[in-house]
Amino acid sequence: MKSRLARYAVACSIAAALAGTQAQAGAPPTPHPVAAIQDTETPAQRDARMAWWREARFGMFIHWGIYAVPAGFWQGKPVDDAGEWIMNAGKIPVADYKKFAPQFNPTQFDAHTWVSLAKAAGMKYIVITSKHHDGFAMYPSKANPFNIADATPFKRDPLRELADEARRQGLKFGLYYSQAQDWTAPGGAAMGGHWDKAQDGDFAHYLHTKAIPQLKEILATYHPDVLWFDTPTAAMTPQLSSEIVSLLNQYPQLIWNNRLGGGYPGDTETPEQHIPPQGFSGKDWETCMTINDTWGYKSNDTHFKSTKVLLQNLVDIASKGGNYLLNVGPDAHGVIPAPEAERLQQIGHWLDVNGESIYGTSPTPFADAHGSFSSSEKDQDGKPRWIPVWDWRATSKPGKVYVHLFQWPSKSFHVDDADIQATGAYLLADPHHTPLKVTQHGKQLDVQLPAKPLDSIDTVLVIQTKS
Ligand code: H79
């Protein structure tokens, strides 16, 4: 287990190095060959563009592709990496990998079921893979024949069905597109290097003949609200990236992340599989995370996080001003694994009652750091690992502080350094909002609590404040 974790840590620092978008401390901002929307809009325009995203707090990531066919196994053996990485991890030849396409016929796929699940979970947006690193397009692409219409017996367009259904149900719709890596197109990048001669070729040619034409297609066809780039690699020079920026500029409401490459910061920071100890002050950020240990479906990965852990993560992220993009990995029949659906429904039940304490909230008004840096363990960047303490977190709105109690205190909730003026308190899940006794002496704040919590995971204490 430890070695697996250590290996993952190394993997992530490789990813960070390849991302090429992480700001170098002290370095001047890179001049962009083509100005992006973030370079030209006013702060007020930016606030308007980001408004729905900031309010949303919780989204569904969907990793779905033909890697769901091998589902983590190659030549009868489990491949010990993320499901969507099976081609790279198993060094599967291009011709062999392409044979998964005719086996992909997800007849049980139903956009209404998926979107309804996201909605029931309290998620406000969906981001689905239109093309992952394997190069397979999950929509009918005219730009390249390795796609769901031309290479599989499944003659439908899941992106069309999902985009329409998401909008019918009031959810925003986003697309993931891996722009630099492509393990089946000549010239596409591959982390760790090519393993098949069929992959060799010119990167700029790949970008001009596949990635950019496909980006044009998906933008024009689905009008995504979000474009989620990934693993730019060093091949995404400022010049090549700027060609994509020219295209993005035609969609002035589009939100895109910090993984395009070429020094473009995009709109959002994208910590992957972790929650930064302090968030990103003054920046929009979104932690993307898997429910088990894989993004793309693997039949043998049953290492599902508990509902408690997932909900605590959502609250922890909201308390630091970020969004939670939580992944599901549907199988090759088109079904979201039941353990994933179950957890999402449970989170949704909690949000039905307590959503006011998450959506559209601001970060905690308390300075308390809920955790400490380990003196022995290192994180993926080689810095001391942050060890969170799961006692409570807080979010806020004008006039209200929401204290999320994961551990029920005996008798009262107490803080030493409350920079607020409390005027009253009640439990959010109490339909009568029965007033609780509040005592405040300077920054010492106490709220008397009933003997038992109202929710086994997170009972929200609302403290009314003078604002
Ligand atoms: O789409 C998901 C991942 O496949 C993708 N980003 C999320 C949203 C991603 N691509 N690369 N990385 C994340 C980081 C790279 C990690 C690697 Fe590995 C280490 C690549 C090879 C070794 C992780 C561990 C993937 C396979 C083994």
Side-chain angles (χ1 to χ4, degrees), residues 163-202:
D164 291 350
E165 184 61 27
R167 282 157 180 156
R168 241 195 309 277
Q169 296 202 33
L171 272 69
K172 298 285 184 182
F173 182 72
L175 292 173
Y176 169 108
Y177 189 91
S178 177
Q179 76 281 20
Q181 291 202 70
D182 194 312
W183 306 328
T184 51
M191 277 168 74
H194 291 157
W195 58 91
D196 181 335
K197 280 201 166 44
Q199 298 168 321
D200 293 345
D202 178 59

Side-chain angles (χ1 to χ4, degrees), residues 327-338:
N327 184 71
V328 295
D331 67 19
H333 304 292
V335 175
I336 294 175

Side-chain angles (χ1 to χ4, degrees), residues 10 123 136 172 238 272 286 291 362 377 411 459:
V10 171
M123 293 161 150
F136 181 78
K172 298 285 184 182
E272 180 165 328
E286 175 191 67
I291 295 181
S362 297
E377 284 182 69
K411 295 201 176 85
T459 300

Side-chain angles (χ1 to χ4, degrees), residues 11 15 61 63 81 84-85 132-133 176 191 230-231 272 295:
F61 217 170
H63 275 70
D81 274 321
E84 73 286 359
W85 272 79
H132 206 270
H133 311 333
Y176 169 108
M191 277 168 74
D230 205 3
T231 61
E272 180 165 328
W295 302 91

Side-chain angles (χ1 to χ4, degrees), residues 9 87 146 188 219 232 251 324-325 328 376-377 382 387 404 410 414 443:
M87 181 181 178
F146 191 41
L219 284 163
Y251 299 86
Y324 197 23
L325 185 61
V328 295
S376 51
E377 284 182 69
I387 315 279
H404 299 257
S410 68
H414 175 89
K443 292 191 171 189

